Amino acid sequence: MEEISTGTDPRVPAVMPDKPSHIEEVPPLFEATATASAAVPEDAVVDKDLLCPICMQIIKDAFLTSCGHSFCYMCIITHLRNKSDCPCCSQFLTNNQLFPNFLLDKLLKKTSARQLSKTASPVEQFRQALQQGYGVTIKELDNLLSLLAEKKRKMEQEESERNMQILLDFLHCLRKQKVDELTEVQSDLQFIKEDINSVEKHRMDLYRARDRYSVKLRMLGDDSSTRKPWSSSTDKNSSGIVSSSLNIRGMAAGYLQNKKMDGKTQLSGHCSQRKDSLSGADSEAFNQSGLSVARKKRVHAQFNDLQECYLQKRRQLANQPHIKQESDKNVIHREGYNVGLADFQSVLSTFTQYSRLRVIAEVRLGDLFHSANIVSSIEFDRDDELFATAGVSRRIKVFDLSMVLNEPADVHCPVEEISTRSKLSCLSWNKHWKNHIASSDYEGIVTVWDVKTRQSLMEYEEHEKRAWSVDFSRTDPSMLVSGSDDCKVKVWCTKQEASVLNIDMKANICCVKYNPGSSNYIAVGSADHHIHYYDLRNISSPLHVFSGHKKAVSYVKFLSETELASASTDSTLRLWDVKENLPLRTFKGHTNEKNFVGLTVNREYIACGSETNEVYVYHKEISKPVTWHRFGAQEMEDADEEGGGSHFISAVCWKSDSPTMLTANSQGTIKVLVLAA
């Protein structure tokens, strides 16, 4: 879809009347006189007879015409280039009939000097008087110098006081800012101190529990090891008394020597037994320590974001007393943590749990490198047992996930396949009726299909252009919504043949999504760079418009009833709080400037494609990627040989509450990925 530019009209420059060029060159003396003329008394205003009839300024370089009128030389010359008459009396006039007016020039200079003296400052008047030879005695000069020196000292004093006040105000402001920062840091340190104590206490409890568990295991091991030797020795004794008596004599002979070494022997035997019993645990602990080191590295790599996440959660609890009181009374975490620390521990655990994406299956299709295999949408069904793909191939293909995972094959055949008349842009499974799936296509048609019978149940043809997005409501299975290039969002009911609601957005619609908690709220991503959040009970205006993206919003997906993720061709993802109408976070790392690369979410993670043929995964609390996976280089080389050029990820979809994800690219390759440690 081509993004629509919404730039403003260029500003039209104002048209100004032409003026003779010499007006720009009027000396400062005349400018000051003309400017001040409005502010002086009437008797000080310049006589109108001294003004040029053309430019209405004091005449400069006065020239007299044969008809007796005076003008500025440049004014009358400019006039005679276009016309051959006098501007005052319209009598025929040429350049040869112009004569310098020296007397008027002399009068104008005197008038200008008087005018300037009336409007000049006392200092300027005094300076002019001195220049004109006004007599001043030495005593008068001394008095004037003394007065000026005193005036100068006073002005310097006032200037110093002003500078000191400005400096003092700055320092007070800086001190307040730093005190606030210090207070915040002290508060943060107090949070950290309390949380360290809580974690240390909980860790000691875990160590004591582990020791108790180890003692129980050792006791059970000791019981089993002592029973078997006793029974075997009994069998040996019963088989022959001679051997037994020899053993007794030998033990009696070395009794004294053995008694001295008894303590050491028992100690060494006990230590060796303990070492043998814990050798397996040590090996396991070594593996666990390696995993712990890897997780610590991931923490340090994203330390700044994790720090902000921790402080945000702890400050949020402290800044909301009613929540803090509730937590103090009822919501203390079972390990003894407060709510903020417990929330952060959950973030830290889920963030460090995975470090890579692993391919566990690949859907192999026939004619893999055909250009018509671009997958634009891939979606799981209600039970996450089946998934459907659709794109420019004009087919909806339904696959069984268990067959793809458990039955490797050269070519995977879909369990169901539906042919359509047009290229498909989006799919949406009904979350109540397992066999119902909706599609939107390039002709603007929204269709509801029965997967089992491969028949269309409803067809809606009201959109006038390509429909980019369709979505079933999770709370009302009969309702679905669609958005199109015709700038309209339409709400449909499977029980009616016409649309229920129509919203004209004035810009191309790229994506629409129902809030999972209510069929009354929808989020709409538009080419105007905004996300519009609507209450369908009042569509006159959106509840809120989320601004921040710099290009078209290509996808919107809800993580929960209050959290909304969006993707844009500005190469960013953003997370919003639709309840508080707040931006929460911006995610960067992938590349997306022109294509639809997919967006999928679960409770903790957000995944999207990239125009580098890679899948990126973000934790919702961290702005940088957790991990990413690149589709094979060999696939891209083969595609280049076929003339396919560079490829991009075109569709992604999480399996519900699972680390498993479906991914597809513009080449038609479909992979099943799973987050791994």
Side-chain angles (χ1 to χ4, degrees):
M1 186 197 72
E2 297 182 357
E3 184 180 344
I4 293 179
S5 175
T6 57
T8 57
D9 293 334
R11 186 175 296 173
V12 180
V15 179
M16 302 298 292
D18 294 333
K19 288 187 178 181
S21 59
H22 77 279
I23 293 178
E24 301 294 336
E25 302 172 359
V26 175
L29 175 64
F30 289 162
E31 287 184 354
T33 304
T35 304
S37 61
V40 297
E42 291 185 1
D43 57 350
V45 176
V46 180
D47 190 348
K48 291 182 180 181
D49 293 333
L50 302 179
L51 301 180
C52 172
I54 296 177
C55 67
M56 300 306 295
Q57 302 291 331
I58 294 178
I59 297 175
K60 180 182 179 182
D61 296 332
F63 265 66
L64 183 67
T65 66
S66 59
C67 56
H69 298 102
S70 294
F71 302 92
C72 299
Y73 174 74
M74 288 302 301
C75 288
I76 190 62
I77 288 296
T78 303
H79 173 78
L80 292 178
R81 287 174 186 170
N82 301 316
K83 293 184 179 182
S84 298
D85 60 358
C86 175
C88 292
C89 64
S90 300
Q91 183 175 335
F92 178 77
L93 186 66
T94 64
N95 291 344
N96 296 329
Q97 296 173 301
L98 299 178
F99 309 98
N101 194 338
F102 297 113
L103 178 59
L104 181 58
D105 270 340
K106 188 179 293 186
L107 292 173
L108 287 173
K109 288 179 181 179
K110 291 182 178 180
T111 301
S112 298
R114 287 197 301 271
Q115 193 70 20
L116 180 62
S117 65
K118 292 179 181 178
T119 58
S121 64
V123 176
E124 181 65 23
Q125 291 177 1
F126 181 66
R127 185 182 65 81
Q128 290 179 0
L130 291 177
Q131 288 178 346
Q132 293 173 4
Y134 179 78
V136 182
T137 65
I138 295 176
K139 184 176 181 180
E140 289 175 335
L141 283 177
D142 287 338
N143 291 335
L144 287 174
L145 289 174
S146 176
L147 181 62
L148 290 173
E150 183 64 28
K151 182 66 174 178
K152 180 182 177 183
R153 283 194 296 272
K154 183 178 179 182
M155 292 177 66
E156 289 175 344
Q157 176 71 20
E158 292 174 351
E159 181 68 17
S160 297
E161 290 178 1
R162 281 195 296 270
N163 291 338
M164 287 297 104
Q165 186 61 43
I166 292 172
L167 178 59
L168 187 61
D169 290 344
F170 168 77
L171 293 175
H172 279 304
C173 182
L174 181 60
R175 182 180 65 178
K176 182 179 182 302
Q177 179 180 336
K178 293 302 179 182
V179 167
D180 292 342
E181 291 177 3
L182 178 61
T183 302
E184 186 175 60
V185 170
Q186 289 174 337
S187 178
D188 292 343
L189 286 173
Q190 183 62 31
F191 295 151
I192 296 170
K193 181 179 178 181
E194 293 173 359
D195 292 344
I196 287 175
N197 292 335
S198 298
V199 174
E200 287 286 357
K201 180 180 178 182
H202 181 56
R203 188 176 67 161
M204 295 305 298
D205 292 341
L206 289 176
Y207 284 165
R208 282 192 286 267
R210 186 187 66 179
D211 290 342
R212 288 195 297 269
Y213 179 69
S214 300
V215 170
K216 287 183 180 179
L217 286 179
R218 200 159 54 243
M219 291 176 63
L220 292 174
D222 291 343
D223 290 344
S224 60
S225 63
T226 54
R227 289 170 186 168
K228 291 181 180 179
W230 177 258
S231 60
S232 62
S233 64
T234 304
D235 294 338
K236 290 180 181 179
N237 289 335
S238 62
S239 63
I241 302 175
V242 177
S243 62
S244 177
S245 62
L246 290 174
N247 288 335
I248 294 173
R249 288 178 183 178
M251 291 174 64
Y255 174 75
L256 294 175
Q257 183 178 359
N258 290 340
K259 186 175 181 181
K260 294 178 181 179
M261 301 296 296
D262 185 56
K264 295 182 179 180
T265 305
Q266 289 180 5
L267 180 62
S268 62
H270 178 71
C271 291
S272 61
Q273 182 181 5
R274 179 181 178 89
K275 184 176 181 180
D276 293 339
S277 64
L278 294 178
S279 60
D282 290 342
S283 176
E284 183 179 355
F286 178 78
N287 294 333
Q288 291 294 329
S289 64
L291 180 60
S292 178
V293 169
R295 296 181 73 171
K296 286 180 180 178
K297 286 182 178 179
R298 291 197 285 275
V299 169
H300 287 291
Q302 305 285 4
F303 188 82
N304 289 336
D305 283 345
L306 289 170
Q307 173 185 256
E308 287 301 319
C309 177
Y310 167 77
L311 294 176
Q312 179 185 359
K313 291 183 178 299
R314 291 297 273 114
R315 291 169 182 168
Q316 183 178 7
L317 184 67
N319 293 333
Q320 299 178 0
H322 62 284
I323 296 180
K324 190 174 188 303
Q325 291 174 2
E326 290 283 332
S327 66
D328 292 341
K329 294 178 181 178
N330 305 318
V331 200
I332 295 297
H333 198 265
R334 60 185 177 86
E335 279 100 1
Y337 301 162
N338 61 60
V339 177
L341 181 59
D343 288 346
F344 177 72
Q345 186 190 29
S346 175
V347 171
L348 195 63
S349 299
T350 54
F351 170 72
T352 58
Q353 185 177 4
Y354 305 113
S355 63
R356 62 192 178 96
L357 282 166
R358 183 166 56 89
V359 180
I360 59 175
E362 183 173 338
V363 180
R364 302 184 183 276
L365 303 173
D367 193 19
L368 181 61
F369 302 114
H370 194 277
S371 61
N373 276 333
I374 297 176
V375 176
S376 58
S377 183
I378 185 166
E379 295 291 327
F380 275 108
D381 75 339
R382 180 192 66 186
D383 303 318
D384 292 324
E385 298 172 347
L386 306 175
F387 66 90
T389 66
V392 299
S393 64
R394 295 182 173 86
R395 282 181 170 83
I396 299 174
K397 297 181 180 181
V398 180
F399 296 89
D400 188 315
L401 180 63
S402 61
M403 293 176 61
V404 171
L405 295 176
N406 302 322
E407 300 178 13
D410 294 334
V411 176
H412 290 94
C413 297
V415 294
E416 301 290 348
E417 187 169 346
I418 303 172
S419 297
T420 62
R421 295 175 299 188
S422 180
K423 298 176 182 179
L424 299 173
S425 57
C426 186
L427 293 175
S428 177
W429 283 91
N430 193 302
K431 298 304 180 182
H432 291 260
W433 298 320
K434 184 177 177 65
N435 295 327
H436 291 188
I437 191 171
S439 68
S440 58
D441 65 28
Y442 282 36
E443 299 298 326
I445 300 173
V446 176
T447 309
V448 179
W449 304 89
D450 187 314
V451 174
K452 285 295 183 183
T453 63
R454 305 178 188 175
Q455 300 296 317
S456 65
L457 302 177
M458 298 293 292
E459 278 194 5
Y460 305 106
E461 302 183 10
E462 294 183 20
H463 283 302
E464 300 170 2
K465 295 182 179 180
R466 173 167 40 189
W468 281 111
S469 182
V470 63
D471 185 49
F472 265 115
S473 170
R474 288 179 174 268
T475 57
D476 188 343
S478 65
M479 302 300 295
L480 63 159
V481 63
S482 62
S484 165
D485 269 344
D486 62 5
C487 308
K488 291 181 175 60
V489 174
K490 291 183 179 291
V491 179
W492 316 90
C493 179
T494 56
K495 301 174 184 178
Q496 300 181 26
E497 296 182 355
S499 59
V500 178
L501 287 174
N502 179 69
I503 305 174
D504 192 343
M505 297 285 293
K506 310 301 182 185
N508 299 51
I509 309 303
C510 304
C511 50
V512 290
K513 202 71 179 176
Y514 269 107
N515 187 307
S518 172
S519 60
N520 293 323
Y521 301 101
I522 63 169
V524 182
S526 172
D528 66 1
H529 311 174
H530 303 315
I531 300 110
H532 304 259
Y533 190 56
Y534 275 95
D535 184 341
L536 296 179
R537 293 167 295 187
N538 180 14
I539 61 173
S540 59
S541 61
L543 286 177
H544 193 73
V545 177
F546 295 98
S547 303
H549 284 298
K550 297 179 181 178
K551 289 187 178 180
V553 179
S554 50
Y555 295 95
V556 287
K557 295 291 179 71
F558 282 92
L559 284 78
S560 65
E561 295 181 18
T562 60
E563 294 173 307
L564 175 69
S566 62
S568 169
T569 50
D570 62 5
S571 294
T572 68
L573 308 180
R574 291 177 182 263
L575 186 65
W576 315 87
D577 186 328
V578 297
K579 183 178 180 181
E580 301 295 334
N581 299 331
L582 294 174
L584 299 178
R585 197 158 287 101
T586 301
F587 307 91
K588 295 181 180 180
H590 63 286
T591 301
N592 181 204
E593 297 179 352
K594 58 183 179 180
N595 298 302
F596 283 60
V597 296
L599 177 70
T600 184
V601 299
N602 62 21
R603 292 181 179 178
E604 300 293 336
Y605 291 97
I606 304 172
C608 69
S610 175
E611 287 165 4
T612 56
N613 211 29
E614 295 169 299
V615 180
Y616 279 77
V617 177
Y618 299 87
H619 192 284
K620 70 176 184 179
E621 299 286 353
I622 308 298
S623 60
K624 296 178 183 178
V626 174
T627 184
W628 57 89
H629 171 79
R630 181 177 179 83
F631 274 46
Q634 183 62 41
E635 298 167 1
M636 297 190 67
E637 291 175 4
D638 295 340
D640 290 339
E641 292 176 2
E642 296 291 329
S646 60
H647 289 278
F648 58 92
I649 302 301
S650 55
V652 290
C653 182
W654 284 111
K655 184 180 178 183
S656 300
D657 300 326
S658 167
T660 302
M661 176 172 52
L662 297 171
T663 58
N665 74 348
S666 57
Q667 187 181 342
T669 303
I670 301 173
K671 292 185 178 182
V672 185
L673 305 178
V674 64
L675 285 170

